């Protein structure tokens, strides 16, 4: 069913019979009479192309309302507006560097507290809850360590303490997981990644099912104005049409590569959750990451994920550059760790490229 929903997402009800959705670029909408509106007044508030994407996405997630934002970080920031100085949010320890940087700023500037806890340890999380705690923020597959967190018990815990559970579902997408249907309150994505899928749209999306949350977030969305442009909303819909195919293929490629890397002398550690196309590798110290990256012929040294091409990122100086060294240490983000977003190329080509790049990057003796 989900495959059908994705393949046929947002088919237009346009009277012309057009299959592809029209892109409404108009920022302003004519009013029929004083006190009357077509439902559209001004694009920051509501735009037909954005509504079409948001409605379709909310349905995919099992939610009631989605908000398309100008980036994944704008999605995180939209959610942050729900909190006030003195509130505390418990955050799963290993997370996207940009989110860490934004939370750090909010902590310093606005006195919202972000406490990093180990969500693999249920008791530690439960014991961290106090009267200021308002929410849990989790990436179910952590970045870059690919630790899979069992989120279900936290939905129960958070209901018990009247907390909001916020899930950054960027790695999993609604194809692999729909947290709102399991008990989460707010789900966000960097739609720049798998949702868009082609490295040509910067976007985010926040989805909820509770009406009060939908109303609050809707107000912030319009008030702050980090809304997504109509053209980008169209591109996200187009990306969604093949989401299932792209995820299946990149996941399949990643599984095979993870298995292959387990037997390589040049790799000390393979970090893979078993899901998605994301995996990290810790190279043996006898190998140079710099040389490895230079040797790549097919895979691309670039900082993003979830696209059709295989991307390799160096978290130490890229995604996590603004994280202090001691925080990086705690998360195992060192100068030997690389993160791979496996694309949908022919598996044999990807494997051969990575193996040749590794073999040609030896600079010392294997320890
Ligand atoms: C990329 C990313 C973000 C930020 O999204 P942008 O679209 O780059 O602003 C947030 N969370 C995760 C897990 C990401 O990978």
């Amino acid at each position: 069913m989900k495959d059908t929903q994705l393949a046929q997402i947002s088919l237009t009800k346009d009277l012309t019979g057009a299959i592809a959705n029209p892109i409404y670029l108009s920022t302003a909408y004519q009013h029929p009479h004083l006190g009357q509106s077509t439902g559209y007044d001004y694009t920051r508030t509501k735009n037909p192309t954005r509504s079409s994407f948001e409605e379709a996405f909310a349905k995919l997630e099992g939610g009631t309302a989605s908000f398309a934002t100008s980036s994944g970080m704008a999605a995180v920031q939209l959610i942050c507006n729900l909190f006030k100085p003195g509130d505390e949010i418990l955050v799963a320890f290993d997370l996207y560097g940009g989110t860490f940087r934004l939370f750090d700023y909010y902590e310093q500037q606005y006195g919202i507290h972000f406490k990093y806890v180990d969500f693999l340890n249920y008791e530690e999380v439960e014991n961290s809850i106090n009267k200021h705690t308002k929410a849990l923020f989790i990436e179910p597959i952590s970045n870059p360590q690919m630790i899979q967190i069992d989120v279900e018990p936290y939905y129960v815990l958070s209901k018990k303490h009247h907390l909001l559970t916020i899930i950054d579902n960027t790695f999993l997408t609604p194809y692999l997981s729909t947290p709102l249907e399991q008990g989460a309150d707010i789900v966000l994505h960097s739609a720049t990644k798998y949702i868009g899928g082609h490295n040509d749209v910067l976007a985010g999306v926040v989805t909820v099912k509770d009406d009060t949350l939908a109303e609050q977030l809707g107000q912030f969305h319009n008030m702050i104005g980090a809304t997504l442009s109509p053209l980008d909303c169209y591109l996200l819909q187009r990306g969604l049409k093949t989401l299932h195919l792209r995820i299946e293929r990149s996941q399949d490629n990643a599984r095979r590569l993870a298995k292959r890397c387990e037997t390589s002398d040049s790799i000390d550690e393979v970090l893979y959750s078993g899901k998605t196309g994301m995996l990290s590798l810790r190279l043996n110290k006898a190998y140079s990451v710099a040389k490895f990256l230079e040797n790549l012929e097919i895979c691309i040294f670039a900082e993003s994920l979830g696209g059709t091409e295989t991307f390799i990122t160096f978290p130490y100086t890229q995604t996590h550059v603004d994280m202090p060294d001691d925080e990086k240490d705690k998360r195992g983000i060192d100068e030997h760790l690389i993160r791979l977003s496996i694309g949908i190329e022919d598996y044999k080509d990807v494997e051969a490229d990575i193996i040749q790049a590794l073999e040609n990057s030896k600079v010392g003796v294997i320890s």
Side-chain angles (χ1 to χ4, degrees):
M1 186 58 208
K2 203 162 236 170
D3 293 13
T4 308
Q5 213 181 335
L6 285 166
Q8 301 204 353
I9 207 145
S10 300
L11 278 183
T12 173
K13 295 176 203 81
D14 191 310
L15 293 175
T16 64
I19 300 297
N21 246 315
I23 302 167
Y24 289 88
L25 294 174
S26 186
T27 51
Y29 295 83
Q30 191 172 3
H31 303 301
H33 298 286
L34 190 65
Q36 281 188 9
S37 162
T38 60
Y40 296 95
D41 306 310
Y42 185 63
T43 273
R44 172 160 33 73
T45 317
K46 202 172 170 196
N47 169 283
T49 316
R50 198 171 79 229
S51 297
S52 148
F53 166 74
E54 290 174 338
E55 283 163 23
F57 200 80
K59 216 164 149 188
L60 267 185
E61 294 251 58
T64 55
S66 286
F67 303 94
T69 57
S70 53
S71 69
M73 288 320 302
V76 179
Q77 198 231 10
L78 185 72
I79 296 165
C80 284
N81 288 290
L82 293 166
F83 305 103
K84 57 180 192 311
D87 285 353
E88 186 169 274
I89 297 160
L90 303 181
V91 185
F93 179 65
D94 188 24
L95 91 162
Y96 177 67
T99 307
F100 179 89
R101 178 171 57 193
L102 183 72
F103 286 172
D104 192 45
Y105 177 76
Y106 272 43
E107 171 118 23
Q108 316 255 344
Q109 198 73 11
Y110 300 117
I112 301 172
H113 301 299
F114 296 91
K115 185 171 180 193
Y116 290 88
V117 279
D118 179 6
F119 273 70
L120 292 178
N121 184 341
Y122 179 86
E123 275 174 12
E124 184 185 328
V125 178
E126 188 170 34
N127 294 336
S128 300
I129 296 173
N130 62 49
K131 65 179 196 299
H132 302 293
T133 312
K134 291 289 174 334
L136 310 178
F137 187 101
I138 307 168
E139 290 178 17
I141 293 181
S142 77
N143 176 12
Q145 296 202 72
M146 310 302 159
I147 297 165
Q148 197 172 354
I149 294 169
D150 178 16
V151 279
E152 304 244 351
Y154 295 113
Y155 297 142
V156 181
L157 182 69
S158 103
K159 292 273 175 309
K160 186 170 140 202
H161 294 274
H162 307 289
L163 312 176
L164 295 174
T165 312
I166 305 163
I167 302 289
D168 181 337
N169 208 33
T170 301
F171 279 23
L172 286 162
T173 82
Y175 177 64
L176 293 178
S177 168
T178 46
L180 291 174
E181 292 181 326
Q182 296 161 354
D185 300 287
I186 304 176
V187 175
L188 75 116
H189 290 89
S190 165
T192 314
K193 316 293 169 56
Y194 284 109
I195 308 290
H198 297 74
N199 297 309
D200 55 7
V201 194
L202 184 77
V205 53
V206 178
T207 309
V208 293
K209 63 176 177 202
D210 175 81
D211 290 343
T212 311
L213 277 175
E215 200 182 315
Q216 282 176 308
L217 291 169
Q219 279 170 5
F220 300 146
H221 198 215
N222 179 45
M223 188 159 67
I224 296 162
T227 57
L228 192 63
S229 81
L231 180 62
D232 290 340
C233 290
Y234 175 82
L235 287 172
L236 291 187
Q237 282 176 348
R238 192 159 81 165
L240 281 173
K241 285 174 185 284
T242 55
L243 180 70
H244 50 307
L245 302 177
R246 291 185 287 106
I247 295 255
E248 287 292 349
R249 180 56 175 269
S250 60
Q251 182 168 258
D252 198 44
N253 283 356
R255 279 184 184 143
R256 292 171 74 179
L257 188 67
K259 211 165 159 196
R260 171 65 183 84
C261 289
E262 289 286 357
T263 60
S264 169
D265 284 347
S266 51
I267 296 162
D268 279 356
E269 203 179 354
V270 178
L271 304 160
Y272 184 53
S273 68
K275 282 186 190 161
T276 85
M278 297 300 299
L279 77 138
S280 294
L281 300 174
R282 201 179 306 283
L283 301 198
N284 185 278
K285 292 187 177 61
Y287 291 79
S288 153
V289 168
K291 277 202 153 174
F292 167 74
L293 295 171
E294 272 164 34
N295 291 340
L296 293 169
E297 282 166 7
I298 290 173
C299 303
I300 300 164
F301 173 37
E303 188 171 351
S304 193
L305 65 99
T308 55
E309 305 89 350
T310 296
F311 273 17
I312 303 187
T313 307
F314 185 45
Y316 191 78
T317 61
Q318 293 185 309
T319 51
H320 289 68
V321 64
D322 282 339
M323 189 177 267
D325 279 351
D326 60 326
E327 296 287 340
K328 276 192 220 164
D329 272 355
K330 283 191 235 164
R331 292 164 174 83
I333 301 167
D334 62 19
E335 285 158 281
H336 307 283
L337 186 77
I338 53 171
R339 190 191 74 182
L340 295 83
S341 166
I342 306 301
I344 61 170
E345 301 97 336
D346 186 330
Y347 172 72
K348 292 190 292 299
D349 294 333
V350 174
E351 181 192 289
D353 190 37
I354 288 173
I355 299 301
Q356 72 75 20
L358 276 169
E359 280 170 1
N360 295 317
S361 63
K362 194 165 175 192
V363 288
V365 184
I366 296 179
S367 51

